Each structure stands twice: as structure tokens, then as C-alpha cells.
Amino acid sequence: MVRHHHLEPHPDSLGKTVIEVRKLCNRFGTQVVHDQLDLDLQTGEILGVVGGSGTGKTVLLRTIVGLNKPAGGQIRLFGKNLEELSAEQRSRVKQRVGVLFQGGALFTSLNLQDNVAVPLIEHAGLTRKDAHHLARMKLALTGLPSDAALKFPSELSGGMVKRAGLARALALDPEILFLDEPTAGLDPISAAGFDELIVTLRDALGLTVFLVTHDLDTLHSSCDRIAVLSRKKVLVADRLEKVAATQDPWIQNYFNGPRGRAAAATPAAHPEHGQE
């Protein structure tokens, strides 16, 4: 069962499509990864993107945020096609987006406070003192203790590195958060805590979340809709129960195999957010 924790959305944002992908084609040499792929992301939802190995989940994420140039098709963020914008306009749109890459992608030579401060100094023009103050607030927002701010990535557990990477992704107050396998490599308790954190932040900050994952527990506990990549397209994008009922061999094996049944049988342990 998928738990939903939506706050009442702002009237202006009801039903708004913030990402619109149409007839997307990605190819590398002779290898076609995506062909005529369509996908929408709605304001305030957590969309889980899944698919077998080689279906291009991370490639799709990187293409949407402008790190990979597609071979064809069109992508609109907030109604704007990045390829039609000037460099300055594109930069402004990209600042409305936060990305957490696999492994956290932190600067190993900087402590957490400085890691989070980098985008605040470079893009928001804050002084180092103000950036450090705000960085500590972002680290606290992701559940890290205050003494973690002066620690280096090598001194942290995998779960703390992911939270620090999330704090940096949130530094510029993005409207859309992209997460690439955020619970990969975490123990089940840390992974469950991260899943809960994402839902809490979505509700508290009004975020929209694009989440690449293979973690069935994440899909059950966090995601409003699930998009399945298969045969170079989005095979289906719908609520979990609708997706799991789709008659496709990979989907049936993934959602209704032993691990899928185990994830479905575990009740989501989220408290009702917004209530003390």
C-alpha cells in the first residue's frame, strides 16, 4: 500500500506539469538507450523511476537536468525548453533544481559545512560566514547532528554521506529534487530513515521529487507514482497497484516476485507528517 502524505497544495500549483518529456531519444554511438520516450512529472509528487539494468534510468535523469544532450525529442522544465534558453536563463532554471548523485558526490577535501556552502557562495553570492550559517541549517534539515558540520566525508557512515549530499542538493531551495539511487548501499534501517526523510521534506518544503531507485521498499513507502523504463520507453507510469498489475514479464517478476511480495507485506512505518 502506498502512503500519501500531501499537505494541501497551493491552488496555483494544482495539476501543474513541471517536467514534460516528449519523444526523447538518447543514443551513444550505435547504442540506442531511449527512443520516443514520453514522461510527465506533476507538482508535489514523488515519482519513482525503475527499470532493468541498461534501461537508462540515470541517463534519463542526467538528460532532464541538462547534463546529457539528447539525440532527439524535447524536454520542458517549468514549461521551458532548456535548449532554447540563453546561458543565463538556463542557469536560472537549473538553480530551481537540486540533484543528489549516487554516492553523495561530495568534495572529499572539504568538510560538510564547506561542501554545502559551495553552491551558496558560487550561485547565491553569499559571504562565507552567511553561507556557513545556512549550510548548518541545511545539514540540520536532513537530520544530521550539529557536530557533523566540521567532519569530512571520509569520517562519515554511508547514510550520513547521503544526507550531507542531500543537504547540498537542497542548498539553493530547489523546487524539484532529483535523486539517483539514494538508498543504494545503505543498511535497511538507514534506508528506511532516508525514505521517510524524503517524504517529510517533500511535505515540509513543497518539493517535487524524481527518484531513480531499484529499492522496492522505497517504492512502497515513498512514491506516489512509479514509471517503468522498458524497451527504450516508459512502459507504464501510474500508482503502484496499477503498475504491479501490468501484464509484462519484467514487471511481474519485479513487483510480484519474492522480494516484491516481502516489500508489499511490510507496512509503511511513517508517522502522520505535520502532526506533533
Side-chain angles (χ1 to χ4, degrees):
M1 176 181 171
V2 183
R3 299 287 187 95
H4 297 277
H5 305 288
H6 287 300
L7 297 177
E8 283 300 311
H10 190 279
D12 290 346
S13 69
L14 283 173
K16 270 194 177 174
T17 302
V18 285
I19 296 173
E20 188 180 296
V21 181
R22 291 291 178 271
K23 300 188 183 308
L24 181 70
C25 177
N26 275 311
R27 72 167 70 94
F28 301 95
T30 58
Q31 182 194 8
V32 177
V33 181
H34 302 132
D35 187 29
Q36 304 290 304
L37 182 150
D38 293 337
L39 182 64
D40 287 339
L41 185 64
Q42 307 296 326
T43 306
E45 75 172 339
I46 299 177
L47 176 74
V49 178
V50 302
S53 182
T55 53
K57 301 181 291 294
T58 298
V59 171
L60 177 59
L61 182 155
R62 291 177 63 86
T63 306
I64 293 172
V65 299
L67 295 173
N68 178 65
K69 188 173 173 61
Q74 189 179 76
I75 297 169
R76 290 186 172 275
L77 267 77
F78 309 106
K80 297 178 174 67
N81 183 343
L82 290 184
E83 295 194 11
E84 295 173 355
L85 301 180
S86 67
E88 185 184 340
Q89 290 171 320
R90 194 180 304 126
S91 177
R92 280 205 297 270
V93 171
K94 285 187 174 182
Q95 285 179 37
R96 299 170 70 183
V97 166
V99 187
L100 173 61
F101 293 107
Q102 287 186 46
L106 297 172
F107 298 114
T108 55
S109 60
L110 298 180
N111 63 30
L112 298 196
Q113 176 177 269
D114 285 328
N115 259 288
V116 179
V118 166
L120 293 166
I121 295 168
E122 286 187 357
H123 297 294
L126 296 187
T127 64
R128 185 166 295 277
K129 181 181 177 184
D130 286 345
H132 281 167
H133 177 68
L134 198 51
R136 285 176 175 269
M137 290 173 60
K138 299 293 181 181
L139 290 165
L141 193 65
T142 61
L144 286 169
S146 58
D147 64 353
L150 299 180
K151 291 186 175 175
F152 290 83
S154 60
E155 300 177 90
L156 303 174
S157 68
M160 292 176 81
V161 166
K162 293 284 175 80
R163 286 175 185 253
L166 179 61
R168 193 175 65 183
L170 293 170
L172 297 173
D173 298 325
E175 294 163 60
I176 309 176
L177 190 59
F178 289 85
L179 307 172
D180 191 4
E181 299 278 11
T183 59
L186 299 185
D187 65 84
I189 293 173
S190 296
F194 198 94
D195 289 341
E196 185 171 332
L197 173 64
I198 295 305
V199 176
T200 303
L201 290 174
R202 185 276 305 271
D203 292 346
L205 304 177
L207 293 168
T208 303
V209 182
F210 181 103
L211 170 66
V212 171
T213 188
H214 66 272
D215 191 326
L216 283 152
D217 290 328
T218 299
L219 298 177
H220 281 273
S221 64
S222 304
C223 296
D224 300 298
R225 284 194 308 139
I226 294 161
V228 179
L229 299 190
S230 181
R231 300 194 283 278
K232 303 181 178 63
K233 295 182 175 66
V234 174
L235 190 65
V236 59
D238 211 326
R239 297 192 313 277
L240 188 145
E241 55 268 27
K242 291 273 187 73
V243 171
T246 302
Q247 292 307 305
D248 172 82
W250 187 86
I251 288 177
Q252 287 305 307
N253 190 40
Y254 183 73
F255 286 98
N256 299 316
R259 294 183 70 173
R261 289 197 300 271
T266 305
H270 296 314
E272 288 304 315
H273 295 294
Q275 296 180 11
E276 293 297 318

